[in-house]
Amino acid sequence: MLDKAPNKKLADLLDKFGAALSAGDIDKAVTCFQEDCYWRDLVTFTWNIKTMEGRDQVRDMLLSQLAQTKPSNWAIAKGEDAAESGGLLEGWISFETEVARGFGHIRLKDGKIWTLLTTMVELKGHEEPAGFDRPMGAKHGHGKNRPTWKEEREKEAAELGFKTQPHTLIIGGGQGGIALGARLRQLGVPTIIVEKNERAGDSWRKRYKSLCLHDPVWYDHLPYIDFPRNWPVFSPKDKIGDWLEMYTKVMELNYWSSTEAKSATYDDKKKEWTVVVRGDGKDITLKPKQLVLATGMSSKANTPAFKGMDSFKGDQHHSSKHPGPDAYAGKKAVVIGSNNSAHDIAAALWEAGADVTMVQRSTTHISRSETLMEIGLGSLYSEKAVQGGMTTAKADLIFASLPYKILHEFQIPAYAEMKKRDAEFYKGLEKAGFMLDWGDDESGLFMKYLRRGSGYYIDVGASELIIDGSIKLKSGVDVKEIKAHSVLLSDGSELPADLIVYATGYGSMNGWAADLISRQVADKVGKCWGLGSNTTKDPGPWEGELRNMWKPTQQEALWFHGGNLHQSRHYSQFLSLQLKARHQGIPTPVYGLQQVHHKG
Ligand SMILES: Cc1cc2nc3c(=O)[nH]c(=O)nc-3n(C[C@H](O)[C@H](O)[C@H](O)COP(=O)(O)OP(=O)(O)OC[C@H]3O[C@@H](n4cnc5c(N)ncnc54)[C@H](O)[C@@H]3O)c2cc1C
C-alpha cells in the first residue's frame, strides 16, 4: 500500500510555506528552509534564471519580489505523490503567482526545504492554444471568398517584416532558434527567424560528413513533437537536419533562410532595435522590440594564429569547415586538438585511408558512449526510463532541480564508477600516451560542458584507433610553427602534412554581439556560458547559473539562446515566457540581474 505519510508531511510544509508567503511573513517563510538550502527559480519569482543559495539569499529575493509575485495555491501537483527514502522526501508541486501558473519540485530534509525548483508553466490569460483549446483549423459555416489556411499563412508571411514588424527577432535558425520560434508561435508572439544558410537544418548538414549526434534520442526531443519510437538512438547529422526542416514547416515558423543579419542597434528611447538583414541581394531593415542571438554556442570558430600558417601549401581549416575525409585518402593529415570534433574527424580520415596524427596539447576527458548512456543519462533519458514511466518533461525538471552549486557532488561518484568499469580502456589510452583528465574535481564530462563547453570526447570508436596506433598521437606538445608542408611541434619534431584541421573549439557567444552590434555591447553583457566555478576555463567568481543564457542580460532587450538539444528544448520554455510577458506588457521586475566579471 502506498505510504501516505510523505504526502501529509509535504502538504503540511506547503501549507505553512504558502501561508507565510501569503501573509508576507518572510521570516517565517525562510524558516521553512534548511540553513543549507537551494531555491532555483525559472522565471516565476525572479523574472530571471536564478538560484538562491542559503537562507540569506532566499530572504533577500523574497524581500525584493514577494509583494509583486503574490504566490498562492501551493499544493502537491495533481496526480502526484510525495516519496520518502534515505531521509529525503521529494515531490512535485504546483502553485500560482499573480500572473502565472507554476510547477516545481521539492526535496525536504528533516521536514525543511533543502532544494526547491519553481518554474513558470504559463501566463494566466495567455495560455497556449492546446488540448481543449486547440484551434479548430476548419472554419465551419460559410462566407464568400473566405481565405484558406494556406492563404492566411501566405498573407502573414508576405506582411511580417514589411507591413508589420516582428516583436521578436531571432538571429540564427539552428535548432535553438527553431525551438524558441516554435514556442513563440504558440504563444502568439510575432517572430521572425533569420538564418544565413539556405535551408533549415543546414547548420547540422554542413558539419563534417561523419557526424552523428553524441547524445541519444531520449535527450534530444524538440518541444511539441517528439521523435518517433523508431528513430535511431544517435541521429546522423543529415537526418537531424531534415527533421529540423520539417519541424520549421509544420510548426508554421516565419523562417527567413538565406538571410544574414548584418548589424543591429538599440534605441534606448524608442525601446526598439534596428536590424539590417540581407537576403536575395537586398537589405531589409527590421524593427523588433526584442532581439535573440541564437547564433550557436558551438559555431564561433576559435581558429589559432600559428606562425607560418600563411605559408602552408596544403589544405588547412577549422573543424567547423572540414568537408569530410573523401579528398584525403592516402594523404597525411594532422588534427590539432583532442576533443570531440578532433576525434570524429581523425577517425573519419583514418577510415578514408588518410595517414592521421592527432596533436594533443593538454588533457582531455573521455567517456565511453555506452557507459555514459547507462551511468550518466540512463535513469532519466533512456528507453528503460521511458518504459518506467519517465517523461521528457519530468526528466528535464529533475535535471533542473539539482542546483549547480552541488551538481558536481552527484557527478563525482558516477564518474568514479565509469573509471572503474572502463579501467582497461583508460589503461590502453594512457599506454598510447593519451593525456586523460576527469575534470578539475573529478566530476567528469557534464560539469566540463557546463563550466567551459569543451575539454571532452564521448567515445564512439576513435579511442580504439588511438589505443591500437591507427591514429597516431603526439601529446603534451604545442604547435610551434606551420611550415609549407609540415607542422613543427614544440618538442622539435615535425609532422609532414597535406591537411591540417584545427579542431580548436569555439569562442563565447558574446563574440556574435561584437560582430553584429558593437564591441561595447559585447563587453557590457560579458562572457556567455560557464558557472564561475573557478576551474579551468571557467574563472570565478561563482555565478550560480550559466552566464547570460536564456535570461535578461546587461543589455536591455538582448537575449542569448542555445546549447544542446536538451537545453534548447527546456530553456526555450522560459525564454519564450519572458518574451511573451514583455509582448503583453506584463511587468517583469528582474531580480538579481547578473553582474559581468569577464568580457569574453
Ligand atoms: C561537432 C559537434 C557535435 C555536436 N554534437 C551534439 C550532440 O550530439 N547533441 C547536441 O545536442 N548538441 C551537439 N553539439 C552542439 C551543437 O552545436 C548544438 O547542439 C547545436 O548546433 C546548437 O544549436 P544552435 O541553434 O544553438 O546553434 P547552431 O546550430 O550553431 O545554429 C546557429 C545558426 O546561426 C546562424 N547564424 C549565425 N550568424 C548569423 C547571422 N548573422 N545571420 C543569420 N544567421 C546566422 C548559423 O548559420 C547557424 O545556422 C555538437 C556541436 C558540434 C560542433
Side-chain angles (χ1 to χ4, degrees):
M1 215 181 78
L2 185 72
D3 181 6
K4 286 285 176 194
N7 277 354
K8 169 91 175 71
K9 285 184 206 169
L10 180 52
D12 286 350
L13 181 282
L14 290 173
D15 284 349
K16 187 172 153 197
F17 184 51
L21 293 177
S22 295
D25 189 342
I26 291 175
D27 283 339
K28 196 159 179 200
V30 169
T31 61
C32 294
F33 288 82
Q34 293 268 336
E35 286 289 345
D36 164 33
C37 62
Y38 302 90
W39 180 350
R40 184 160 195 236
D41 183 55
L42 305 183
V43 181
T44 61
F45 277 67
T46 58
W47 287 105
N48 198 349
I49 292 185
K50 179 92 190 147
T51 302
M52 279 59 67
E53 298 170 355
R55 279 181 169 182
D56 287 348
Q57 290 188 13
V58 169
R59 178 179 291 105
D60 188 69
M61 185 278 281
L62 287 174
L63 281 168
S64 161
Q65 303 299 97
L66 180 60
Q68 62 266 27
T69 306
K70 300 196 178 76
S72 61
N73 287 340
W74 295 85
I76 297 174
K78 207 166 151 202
E80 299 292 344
D81 282 304
E84 194 166 17
S85 100
L88 206 63
L89 190 153
E90 56 187 309
W92 297 102
I93 59 169
S94 57
F95 63 99
E96 290 179 31
T97 69
E98 173 134 283
V99 299
R101 289 183 196 88
F103 192 80
H105 186 269
I106 195 164
R107 293 185 184 86
L108 307 185
K109 263 188 202 168
D110 301 325
K112 295 197 171 189
I113 302 168
W114 174 45
T115 69
L116 174 61
L117 172 74
T118 47
T119 75
M120 190 178 286
V121 176
E122 58 191 3
L123 289 160
K124 292 177 186 170
H126 306 286
E127 297 80 3
E128 292 187 6
F132 286 114
D133 298 322
R134 72 167 76 222
M136 279 297 281
K139 288 181 194 136
H140 292 164
H142 40 71
K144 292 225 159 70
N145 301 318
R146 290 194 306 164
T148 63
W149 169 85
K150 183 165 178 278
E151 286 161 347
E152 281 178 355
R153 272 291 290 138
E154 284 167 352
K155 182 168 183 284
E156 181 193 347
E159 291 183 352
L160 189 64
F162 302 99
K163 270 194 183 166
T164 57
Q165 285 302 317
H167 172 265
T168 297
L169 178 68
I170 302 173
I171 300 181
Q175 80 214 13
I178 289 171
L180 180 64
R183 293 205 189 261
L184 290 170
R185 172 101 207 160
Q186 293 308 312
L187 287 169
V189 178
T191 300
I192 292 176
I193 304 167
V194 290
E195 167 56 54
K196 64 184 175 197
N197 282 320
E198 300 78 49
R199 287 163 64 197
D202 275 357
S203 60
W204 282 105
R205 287 189 197 96
K206 288 188 174 175
R207 288 186 175 137
Y208 52 82
K209 190 177 153 180
S210 59
L211 179 65
C212 287
L213 296 201
H214 293 108
D215 298 323
V217 62
W218 307 278
Y219 193 65
D220 296 337
H221 298 299
L222 294 177
Y224 308 111
I225 310 180
D226 280 4
F227 293 107
R229 291 185 60 209
N230 51 6
W231 194 263
V233 174
F234 298 107
S235 285
K237 68 172 180 88
D238 297 279
K239 196 169 167 66
I240 196 82
D242 288 349
W243 183 261
L244 288 171
E245 194 171 20
M246 174 282 293
Y247 184 93
T248 301
K249 205 156 188 192
V250 298
M251 294 308 289
E252 304 178 13
L253 307 188
N254 293 304
Y255 192 92
W256 291 14
S257 53
S258 301
T259 305
E260 183 170 2
K262 291 296 202 186
S263 67
T265 46
Y266 188 64
D267 186 327
D268 276 327
K269 292 205 181 70
K270 287 193 187 154
K271 307 276 176 217
E272 186 175 274
W273 289 94
T274 299
V275 184
V276 178
V277 305
R278 172 157 272 255
D280 254 350
K282 285 194 293 268
D283 282 351
I284 300 168
T285 300
L286 297 171
K287 299 268 183 183
K289 299 288 178 200
Q290 304 289 333
L291 182 65
V292 181
L293 298 188
T295 35
M297 100 78 172
S298 304
S299 60
K300 186 129 194 74
N302 242 344
T303 309
F306 295 124
K307 184 178 162 198
M309 273 166 83
D310 289 351
S311 65
F312 186 62
K313 299 283 184 246
D315 288 353
Q316 55 178 340
H317 41 242
H318 185 264
S319 58
S320 56
K321 298 276 180 310
H322 180 61
D326 298 352
Y328 303 107
K331 306 272 187 201
K332 292 196 179 308
V334 176
V335 178
I336 312 285
S338 54
N339 294 334
N340 261 329
S341 299
H343 278 84
D344 279 356
I345 290 170
L349 284 165
W350 176 84
E351 284 177 330
D355 175 78
V356 192
T357 305
M358 180 186 282
V359 176
Q360 182 186 27
R361 183 177 60 176
S362 54
T363 59
T364 301
H365 170 72
I366 297 190
S367 289
R368 290 186 60 241
S369 173
E370 212 181 293
T371 318
L372 185 67
M373 284 224 295
E374 194 187 324
I375 297 180
L377 293 174
S379 62
L380 295 179
Y381 302 98
S382 67
E383 196 57 44
K384 213 164 139 195
V386 171
Q387 298 300 329
M390 181 58 72
T391 61
T392 311
K394 274 192 177 168
D396 288 352
L397 289 171
I398 292 172
F399 217 66
S401 74
L402 297 169
Y404 287 136
K405 184 82 181 182
I406 52 171
L407 190 54
H408 62 286
E409 293 173 18
F410 296 87
Q411 301 284 307
I412 290 167
Y415 284 86
E417 171 61 25
M418 284 190 207
K419 199 184 224 175
K420 210 159 73 189
R421 189 180 293 192
D422 294 330
E424 282 307 307
F425 167 79
Y426 292 115
K427 221 191 274 172
L429 273 172
E430 276 167 347
K431 208 164 150 214
F434 196 87
M435 302 186 307
L436 285 167
D437 75 59
W438 292 80
D440 288 10
D441 53 1
E442 305 279 298
S443 60
L445 188 144
F446 192 66
M447 293 312 301
K448 270 195 152 186
Y449 174 65
L450 290 172
R451 290 167 174 172
R452 52 182 278 195
S454 67
Y456 49 81
Y457 168 53
I458 300 176
D459 178 43
V460 291
S463 292
E464 215 47 58
L465 296 174
I466 288 175
I467 291 171
D468 71 16
S470 301
I471 295 174
K472 294 169 199 155
L473 178 71
K474 286 293 291 181
S475 58
V477 288
D478 206 346
V479 174
K480 197 165 171 212
E481 187 180 343
I482 306 293
K483 297 187 150 189
H485 298 285
S486 65
V487 177
L488 181 64
L489 299 174
S490 54
D491 65 354
S493 60
E494 199 163 339
L495 303 170
D498 303 303
L499 164 71
I500 306 173
V501 181
Y502 301 103
T504 38
Y506 299 90
S508 164
M509 277 185 84
N510 68 328
W512 292 109
D515 293 353
L516 281 164
I517 310 168
S518 67
R519 184 74 252 171
Q520 196 194 1
V521 167
D523 289 349
K524 182 163 127 185
V525 298
K527 186 176 165 68
C528 297
W529 211 263
L531 297 166
S533 60
N534 216 6
T535 55
T536 308
K537 296 197 180 176
D538 183 26
W542 177 246
E543 312 252 5
E545 292 288 343
L546 287 180
R547 299 180 185 96
N548 279 325
M549 298 307 296
W550 317 293
K551 60 182 183 177
T553 66
Q554 288 286 345
Q555 170 59 53
E556 186 178 13
L558 178 66
W559 310 79
F560 292 90
H561 179 60
N564 63 27
L565 282 149
H566 151 83
Q567 290 166 310
S568 274
R569 170 184 68 241
H570 184 57
Y571 289 100
S572 57
Q573 177 180 334
F574 308 108
L575 178 48
S576 65
L577 288 166
Q578 292 173 81
L579 292 165
K580 174 68 181 174
R582 284 160 176 85
H583 176 235
Q584 292 303 136
I586 295 168
T588 55
V590 173
Y591 173 77
L593 183 66
Q594 87 162 47
Q595 298 303 303
V596 174
H597 304 286
H598 307 284
K599 287 185 177 167

